[in-house]
Amino acid sequence: MGITSYDGSEFYSHRGLGHVAQVFSQKELDALPGMMASGHVRYSTTGGSGLRNVQPLFADLASGGFAIAHNGNISNAMALKRDLVAKGSIFQSTSDTETIIHLVATSRYPTLLDRFIDALRMVEGAYSLICMTPEGMIACRDPLGIRPLVMGRLGDAIVFASETVALDVIGAEFTRAVEPGELVQVDHKGTISSHRPFGTPSPRPCIFEHVYFSRPDSVMDGRSVYGVRKQIGVELAKEAPAPADLVIPVPDSGVPAAIGYAQESGIPFELGIIRSHYVGRTFIQPGEQARHNDVKRKHNANRALVEGKKIILIDDSIVRGTTSLKIVEMMRDAGAAEVHMRIASPPTEHSCFYGVDTPERSKLLAANMDIEAMAAFIKADSLAFVSIDGLYRAVGEAKRNSKCPQFCDACFSGDYPTKLTDFTERQPPKLNAA
Ligand code: AMP
């Protein structure tokens, strides 16, 4: 993770590998003076996780310093990089984000803002960006608004963040979302100007933010993430009931949906799995064996509760199936009489190329098996997923508009809303399939 600041004449930066608290103590923060700063926590998808890829990335351009922090993933970064390198650009990282710096540096437009817009016109994929220049800050979202970005105020200061929860924790007030395709410029006097260089295409924000990615205490596009997750549980209970004694969440990701499922079905909600808060996210552990071991250390069965009971287990998603298999086994070992798995998203059949870390398709359980085979694989008595329309109902839509979907749901539908220049050879997507 990293932070870059600017004090009116110099840029300062500290970047390191590890969690925020490992990289930053008061000493490092004190060495970042100024009236403007941006920070970034890397969740690496494209490019490696070495120090040179830690953001904000910084470059000295003809116009002065330029710092950039990126949430998302550029799906033609490799193609752009090939062209740029052929013309003489020298890359210092393997991060897709660096292509934007080189595109800005080589653009021939007169102002930095125009060079930045010119660069973004060549980029495809998902990007919410925060850039710092000697003139101020530019925040922008890609034309489809795939990744979120919000704006708030703390006293006289303007604050941008991916999620509203980041505003809450520093005591800032939410102002509004940065709109899809919008560039918001803030100068050092606090003057805000908004630009829409891409017209107004139909937005396609990521629906997986609602399912899993965002914090439940965030509000996205006016919808409480927690409320949506509970509602997915309600839809799931209507679509896929099961005769059981208890509804049990896989902590923490399955909790809100399990509450909704329990309320709708009338089956009691209980904590049948207790989670250790001292083991981190298992998903991001490299290697299958490490993930297996961590799932075991992270979750433990509440045997006194589940013994002899028919249970409904709720989780938000199945990706590789590692978590579900371990949890079902754990429930059986603890004496559960029946285990019915219910998932608060449709089957994840396709990889994400827009910034959510999903393995390649061959490793996605749902890309390789039908639901019956998946149930057998995870050793559940039954398995069901919420339907895509059920998910859309939960986020407040009547149904998915198949001609022009309201969200990016490519991980479930294979309907990728942008070109995928870098990936098309590796995994031919169903582009804009109805
Ligand atoms: P798996 O064991 O591969 O099936 O992973 C499924 C679990 O990982 C689910 O319980 C989710 O809570 C979590 N998960 C799903 N997608 C992601 C992601 N992109 N990054 C981190 N965790 C995830």
Side-chain angles (χ1 to χ4, degrees):
M1 95 138 280
I3 299 178
T4 301
S5 71
Y6 179 70
D7 69 357
S9 56
E10 298 276 335
F11 284 87
Y12 304 82
S13 176
H14 180 72
R15 302 181 303 151
L17 297 175
H19 291 165
V20 177
Q22 292 166 331
V23 178
F24 285 94
S25 66
Q26 197 56 46
K27 184 171 136 257
E28 284 78 29
L29 293 174
D30 289 344
L32 292 163
M35 74 291 228
M36 170 170 84
S38 66
H40 185 268
V41 180
R42 184 161 166 78
Y43 166 85
S44 51
T45 48
T46 297
S49 48
L51 186 59
R52 64 191 182 139
N53 289 331
V54 173
Q55 298 188 22
L57 299 180
F58 179 81
D60 269 313
L61 305 183
S63 53
F66 184 80
I68 182 167
H70 173 203
N71 176 17
N73 195 42
I74 296 168
S75 57
N76 65 338
M78 285 189 266
L80 290 170
K81 184 170 176 173
R82 266 199 305 273
D83 279 1
L84 286 159
V85 169
K87 289 184 196 139
S89 292
I90 299 166
F91 277 70
Q92 305 205 343
S93 76
T94 55
S95 144
D96 55 326
T97 312
E98 195 182 341
T99 52
I100 297 177
I101 296 181
H102 292 282
L103 290 171
V104 174
T106 52
S107 168
R108 292 175 182 275
Y109 279 85
T111 67
L112 182 91
L113 185 70
D114 286 338
R115 283 203 289 278
F116 185 53
I117 293 169
D118 184 36
L120 295 183
R121 284 194 203 286
M122 286 180 250
V123 162
E124 72 188 37
Y127 52 86
S128 285
L129 301 169
I130 301 290
C131 302
M132 294 199 300
T133 73
E135 278 75 51
M137 199 171 257
I138 307 171
C140 80
R141 248 173 118 185
D142 64 74
L144 300 176
I146 297 178
R147 301 258 73 83
L149 190 62
V150 296
M151 190 169 157
R153 195 174 267 281
L154 179 64
D156 290 338
I158 308 295
V159 188
F160 295 99
S162 292
E163 294 184 41
T164 59
V165 65
L167 303 177
D168 295 344
V169 298
I170 60 162
E173 211 173 289
F174 170 74
T175 314
R176 65 176 180 88
V178 174
E179 298 295 330
E182 186 187 18
L183 266 83
V184 180
Q185 217 179 0
V186 185
D187 69 15
H188 294 304
K189 292 194 203 101
T191 313
I192 299 171
S193 50
S194 164
H195 309 265
R196 291 179 179 278
F198 309 111
T200 44
S202 305
R204 297 283 293 271
C206 165
I207 205 159
F208 197 65
E209 294 274 354
H210 288 284
V211 170
Y212 172 80
F213 220 40
S214 292
R215 280 242 315 229
D217 42 346
S218 278
V219 176
M220 277 185 41
D221 299 321
R223 301 166 177 118
S224 145
V225 174
Y226 177 83
V228 166
R229 286 183 193 165
K230 244 176 91 175
Q231 193 56 35
I232 303 176
V234 170
E235 297 292 338
L236 191 54
K238 288 183 189 159
E239 292 182 353
D245 306 310
L246 303 173
V247 173
I248 292 177
V250 177
D252 293 328
S253 51
V255 173
I259 294 173
Y261 193 105
Q263 285 178 358
E264 177 63 24
S265 64
I267 302 170
F269 170 94
E270 293 286 358
L271 298 181
I273 303 161
I274 306 299
R275 173 180 166 190
S276 162
H277 284 272
Y278 299 96
V279 180
R281 279 190 177 180
T282 48
F283 191 92
I284 21 198
Q285 278 288 349
E288 213 88 338
Q289 192 55 45
R291 268 197 302 274
H292 271 272
N293 294 343
D294 267 13
V295 172
K296 273 232 149 105
R297 279 191 287 139
K298 183 161 144 183
H299 296 116
N300 191 35
N302 183 356
R303 175 180 285 273
L305 179 82
V306 301
E307 199 156 24
K309 299 284 189 350
K310 294 181 194 164
I311 63 169
I312 299 171
L313 272 180
I314 313 268
D315 204 356
D316 68 288
S317 57
I318 292 182
V319 182
R320 303 174 188 84
T322 318
T323 311
S324 304
L325 172 61
K326 288 280 143 195
I327 297 280
V328 173
E329 269 177 354
M330 187 183 290
M331 293 294 97
R332 292 212 190 277
D333 289 348
E338 286 176 24
V339 182
H340 302 278
M341 190 86 193
R342 296 291 178 270
I343 302 296
S345 60
T348 303
E349 284 185 45
H350 304 269
S351 303
C352 178
F353 300 109
Y354 301 128
V356 173
D357 184 19
T358 32
E360 56 196 58
R361 251 200 118 185
S362 61
K363 298 215 172 85
L364 295 173
L365 201 63
N368 296 295
M369 296 182 192
D370 62 16
I371 293 181
E372 216 175 301
M374 288 172 82
F377 176 86
I378 65 167
K379 303 189 177 130
D381 293 290
S382 73
L383 169 68
F385 295 79
V386 77
S387 68
I388 191 93
D389 280 334
L391 176 59
Y392 271 72
R393 280 193 297 277
V395 291
E397 304 288 341
K399 66 197 278 287
R400 179 181 195 263
N401 178 349
S402 58
K403 288 212 177 69
C404 179
Q406 303 89 321
F407 286 87
C408 175
D409 53 19
C411 50
F412 308 128
S413 65
D415 180 354
Y416 293 92
T418 73
K419 286 205 287 183
L420 297 173
T421 303
D422 290 345
F423 304 99
T424 335
E425 295 143 36
R426 225 177 69 194
Q427 181 192 334
K430 286 189 271 168
L431 258 180
N432 293 322

